Amino acid sequence: YGINADREFFFIARNESTQATYVEGSHLQSLKRSEDRSLMFNRMILVGGYVYGAATQAGFYRWVSTHFDQTSLDLYGSKQVRIYQPWIRTPPEANNFAEGFFAKYAGPTVRYNVTTIPQGGALYPWAGFVELTPRAGATWDGETSVTGEVSQVNVQFNEAPVFEFTT
């Protein structure tokens, strides 16, 4: 959703295709890579729902388990989060949740801040992903290209538009 150039509010389905490819040294004035650790967690206290029929005085208890990602701990140190998921009540549910969570959040988020050279066409955040490619023969951390979403594009107008965005 967003507001278009005519200042009209709109909804549009997410486009999974690549709308533009930018090559370092050919299409980019600047490219800065950064790591954001604000959403990185490698230790988790998982608080689930109530488990009934337990051999306790009350007859129930609250599911609580701890999980961690050792590789992330070794690389970045400990960063803990407490998560409440009332539908979790068994070890397989907890382990599956933790595995999926750490697959997404155990490492830092890599962002690329980009400024393009003057372009001929527009770049719309809702029109799909952008692909960033290093100079010929180069890689970024072993990657030959990076594809990412753009949530905001700043446009500088001169003879042709220059785009500034972050993936």
Side-chain angles (χ1 to χ4, degrees):
Y1 65 91
I3 297 177
N4 66 17
D6 298 322
R7 297 183 181 183
E8 297 169 334
F9 183 77
F10 68 91
F11 289 100
I12 191 167
R14 181 177 172 156
N15 188 345
E16 300 288 334
S17 64
T18 300
Q19 67 171 312
T21 300
Y22 299 104
V23 180
E24 183 181 27
S26 297
H27 304 112
L28 305 177
Q29 284 183 26
S30 70
L31 174 76
K32 295 177 185 146
R33 181 184 185 277
S34 63
E35 289 186 354
D36 180 4
R37 296 185 185 191
S38 65
L39 294 176
M40 183 191 84
F41 301 100
N42 49 28
R43 275 191 190 280
M44 174 186 352
I45 297 173
L46 184 56
V47 180
Y50 291 102
V51 179
Y52 297 98
T56 65
Q57 184 177 2
F60 67 92
Y61 65 91
R62 184 116 190 220
W63 177 269
V64 178
S65 57
T66 59
H67 305 269
F68 62 92
D69 184 287
Q70 189 61 52
T71 303
S72 179
L73 283 168
D74 293 343
L75 288 171
Y76 307 109
S78 179
K79 188 167 180 197
Q80 183 171 292
V81 65
R82 180 181 302 252
I83 297 178
Y84 294 87
Q85 289 292 342
W87 52 266
I88 293 177
R89 294 184 175 96
T90 65
E93 291 171 343
N95 291 334
N96 287 340
F97 179 83
E99 186 177 306
F101 179 86
F102 288 135
K104 182 164 177 96
Y105 296 106
T109 302
V110 176
R111 290 194 167 86
Y112 293 89
N113 298 317
V114 176
T115 303
T116 68
I117 61 170
Q119 300 293 303
L123 177 66
Y124 300 110
W126 57 85
F129 294 96
V130 296
E131 180 180 11
L132 304 175
T133 304
R135 298 177 191 275
T139 62
W140 297 322
D141 296 330
E143 299 290 328
T144 56
S145 70
V146 175
T147 302
E149 271 186 293
V150 175
S151 60
Q152 179 177 336
V153 178
N154 295 325
V155 183
Q156 298 175 7
F157 290 101
N158 200 350
E159 293 175 11
V162 172
F163 305 129
E164 294 177 354
F165 60 88
T166 302
T167 63

